Amino acid sequence: MRRAIFPGSFDPLTNGHLDIIKRSLPLFDEIIIAVLNNLEKKPMFSVAERCRMIEEILPEIENGECSLIVDSFQGLTADFARDKSATAIVRGIRAVSDYEYELRMALMNRRLEPQIETVFLMAAEEYSYVSSNLMKQVFTLGGRVEGLVPELVEAKMRDKSKL
Ligand code: ADP
């Protein structure tokens, strides 16, 4: 059983995240999309809202043999991965700027859990500048994020801005 976790804030899920999920499908039997409850960040969406959105979007993915599961966690990614008996942590790399941070995290996670390997997948060119933060900034200032986040996410962002 090749089980991976794909950890992140997913505040909110973007088409860049979806691209990484799709690229991971042939590599694993099961992927747990692990929504981090980061107590330090002030999110746009609660963890429950983020998980629900992802669960609603997942049926649109043709996942073939690979099971896709949504879960949330707090604390160390390495602990969560070990508790779930995952053998890999999937992360996306967009640009060189991601690399330094990701390298540090991967080496630390390897030190904590040597049997768990971090697997880096390269972002699709068309989403390589897409981040949840940029989507929130642009959207909040009235810009269009169409085509960069799933339609459901865009609708939920619109609902939030009306509150
Ligand atoms: P975190 O706060 O842990 O970085 P994110 O939700 O921002 O969480 O990202 C989760 C993972 O998805 C990270 O590995 C990040 O590099 C990757 N990722 C984010 N946006 C994109 C994108 N547009 N293309 C590819 N990977 C991405």
Side-chain angles (χ1 to χ4, degrees):
M1 175 74 166
R2 294 165 307 160
R3 180 182 292 126
I5 66 162
F6 178 36
S9 308
F10 304 109
D11 184 42
L13 182 88
T14 67
N15 285 348
H17 292 131
L18 276 181
D19 175 66
I20 294 294
I21 294 169
K22 287 177 191 161
R23 287 176 196 281
S24 324
L25 291 172
L27 305 177
F28 301 103
D29 301 308
E30 186 177 290
I31 300 165
I32 303 172
I33 301 156
V35 179
L36 173 65
N37 189 0
N38 188 343
L39 302 172
E40 283 168 26
K41 283 190 189 169
K42 210 181 162 294
M44 179 180 243
F45 295 99
S46 70
V47 170
E49 287 174 322
R50 282 178 256 162
C51 288
R52 211 174 313 126
M53 262 191 274
I54 300 172
E55 264 157 12
E56 282 183 50
I57 291 161
L58 285 190
E60 293 170 17
I61 300 178
E62 280 183 37
N63 51 326
E65 304 277 288
C66 180
S67 314
L68 287 173
I69 293 169
V70 183
D71 205 343
S72 62
F73 74 107
Q74 261 182 43
L76 288 174
T77 303
D79 284 349
F80 180 77
R82 187 204 50 231
D83 292 348
K84 294 290 169 186
S85 308
T87 53
I89 297 171
V90 171
R91 295 287 289 177
I93 299 256
R94 284 161 289 193
V96 180
S97 50
D98 278 340
Y99 176 76
E100 267 189 59
Y101 170 76
E102 293 292 343
L103 176 69
R104 266 185 280 135
M105 293 298 291
L107 292 176
M108 192 64 216
N109 285 332
R110 184 191 280 168
R111 187 186 171 96
L112 293 169
E113 292 297 330
Q115 74 289 3
I116 301 175
E117 209 55 65
T118 300
V119 175
F120 292 115
L121 298 172
M122 300 306 143
E125 294 94 300
E126 66 260 48
Y127 302 130
S128 62
Y129 62 96
V130 173
S131 70
S132 300
N133 280 340
L134 185 62
M135 296 304 102
K136 284 186 281 191
Q137 276 174 18
V138 170
F139 184 85
T140 312
L141 296 172
R144 286 173 46 234
V145 292
E146 199 184 310
L148 302 177
V149 299
E151 276 176 29
L152 177 91
V153 168
E154 206 189 337
K156 298 278 180 198
M157 287 171 100
R158 232 177 287 124
D159 290 348
K160 276 279 170 197
S161 66
K162 286 184 202 143
L163 292 179

